[in-house]
Amino acid sequence: MSQIIESCLLGIRKPDPRIFHACLKELDLQPEETVFLDDLGVNVKSARQLGIRTIKVTDPDQAVRDLEKELGGLCMRCHKEDTITVPKHLEINMDKLKSYLNWALKLHSKDPPVIRCFRHGQSNPTYYVFYGGKHLVLRKKPPGKLLPSHAVEREFKVMKAVGQHGVPIPKMNTILHHGVCRWQNLQRSCSCWIDKTAASEVYSEMISTLVKIHSVNISAAGLDDYGKKGGYLQRNMTRWTRQYEASKTHEIEAMDKLIKWLPEHLPQDERVTVVHGDFRVDNMIYHPTKPVAIGVIDWELSTIGDPLTDLATCCLGYYTPSALDVIPGKYIVLSTVKANHIKPLFGRI
């Protein structure tokens, strides 16, 4: 809602109470539903006497902070798309956060950190933080009983390692091992501009990035202890079957047949590489204006395993029924990706 009230047209001006009444009437608001900012005390006093919440402006930055408080903590200084106010159960002690940023990243500011929660990727809570002129991402373990996939220290280790071997990764800054969290730079980016015209280039870049991940020398990257070498497919088959049996609510004949068929047809010539574990287009960050990958994120399922599992995840968007509108760019046919992007790595194709 946007309204302009001109005192020259009304013939009245602040601090005359009538101009405030005119504004309230035009906006159809009650005094307690509004906030008035002014640098003159006489105007602020007049508005306050009518029940309007007021802020005396002496310093612009302080006025914005005061307005944020009046609006219930709404972040106005550094709004980020696709973020929300931090939920109560995920709140972080701001004093400790500021102290850690001062110490670990040598950042300093008279203002407290601005902190928001990203809407997505919440298996490990992910925060946007602005402090000391820096845009940062904080990722931490969630509260409560945790699964192994919540080990953000593993994420930090693998991202830092593969980032030093040609894989596009956000800059990894530091990790706090007590109440574990990790920090990375936030790149200004976009992964939602994909259209049919750019589809081939976007997915070609995606496959090229996957080749980089699977080409990382495990030993040279210091990842020999990152996972078991061999038996990856069988371990996953066993785990998925156990999870399905524990959570199913009724019998599904097709699933029973699949569970019986898959173990009998697992590939025997299993390869061993770094595996992302959830490699898809919405776990990639692209350049804002061109189809160039600048970051692969969400590595919590990564391990040492068979690279074909990552390729299978890439194909999910193609094979998912179109009625399930859950995967970005699902209309993109993977055959648009040139075969020579894939063959150097996947000789079995």
Side-chain angles (χ1 to χ4, degrees), residues 17 36 76 79 86 135 149 159 176 181 230 247 253 256 308 316:
F36 173 69
M76 300 183 66
H79 173 72
V86 178
H135 302 272
S149 60
M159 291 178 75
L176 172 66
C181 60
S247 60
E253 184 180 354
D256 293 336
L308 279 182
L316 186 62

Side-chain angles (χ1 to χ4, degrees), residues 193 198-206 286-293:
W193 51 265
S200 178
E201 294 178 344
V202 166
Y203 272 73
S204 291
E205 176 71 2
M206 183 179 178
Y286 285 87
H287 187 278
T289 60
K290 53 188 177 182
V292 174

Side-chain angles (χ1 to χ4, degrees), residues 131-148:
Y131 182 71
K134 294 290 186 180
H135 302 272
L136 302 163
V137 171
L138 164 64
R139 192 157 163 91
K140 68 182 290 291
K141 291 182 178 181
K145 187 177 180 180
L146 303 179
L147 296 171

Side-chain angles (χ1 to χ4, degrees), residues 230-237 270 275 277 301 303-306 309:
Y232 176 70
L233 298 177
Q234 182 59 59
R235 289 197 305 276
N236 274 281
M237 185 68 232
E270 185 175 341
V275 171
L301 298 179
T303 187
I304 304 299
D306 191 319
T309 57

Side-chain angles (χ1 to χ4, degrees), residues 204-320:
S204 291
E205 176 71 2
M206 183 179 178
I207 294 299
S208 295
T209 303
L210 187 59
V211 170
K212 292 177 181 178
I213 293 173
H214 295 160
S215 298
V216 170
N217 185 301
I218 295 173
S219 296
L223 295 173
D224 281 319
D225 61 347
Y226 196 66
K228 296 179 181 179
K229 295 180 179 179
Y232 176 70
L233 298 177
Q234 182 59 59
R235 289 197 305 276
N236 274 281
M237 185 68 232
T238 302
R239 182 184 303 112
W240 295 336
T241 300
R242 184 172 61 248
Q243 291 173 342
Y244 172 75
E245 294 293 346
S247 60
K248 71 178 182 181
T249 57
H250 60 281
E251 296 295 332
I252 302 176
E253 184 180 354
M255 283 298 296
D256 293 336
K257 289 181 178 179
L258 183 63
I259 288 172
K260 183 177 184 300
W261 183 88
L262 277 175
E264 298 172 354
H265 295 82
L266 291 177
Q268 298 302 308
D269 55 339
E270 185 175 341
R271 295 189 179 188
V272 176
T273 70
V274 173
V275 171
H276 180 275
D278 194 19
F279 191 80
R280 45 200 171 94
V281 71
D282 48 329
N283 276 337
M284 294 187 64
I285 301 175
Y286 285 87
H287 187 278
T289 60
K290 53 188 177 182
V292 174
I294 60 175
V296 182
I297 57 175
D298 283 355
W299 289 74
E300 63 258 47
L301 298 179
S302 62
T303 187
I304 304 299
D306 191 319
L308 279 182
T309 57
D310 275 343
L311 183 62
T313 305
C314 285
C315 297
L316 186 62
Y318 178 62
Y319 287 102
T320 300

Side-chain angles (χ1 to χ4, degrees), residues 72-111:
L74 176 67
C75 176
M76 300 183 66
R77 286 171 289 158
C78 203
H79 173 72
K80 274 295 171 186
E81 187 178 356
D82 209 31
T83 64
I84 60 173
T85 301
V86 178
K88 192 74 175 176
H89 69 288
L90 295 179
E91 287 182 349
I92 294 176
N93 185 297
M94 296 296 282
D95 291 334
K96 291 183 178 180
L97 174 61
K98 184 174 181 177
S99 295
Y100 183 76
L101 291 172
N102 292 342
W103 172 75
L105 300 184
K106 310 304 180 189
L107 298 177
H108 300 278
S109 174
K110 65 179 181 180
D111 296 324

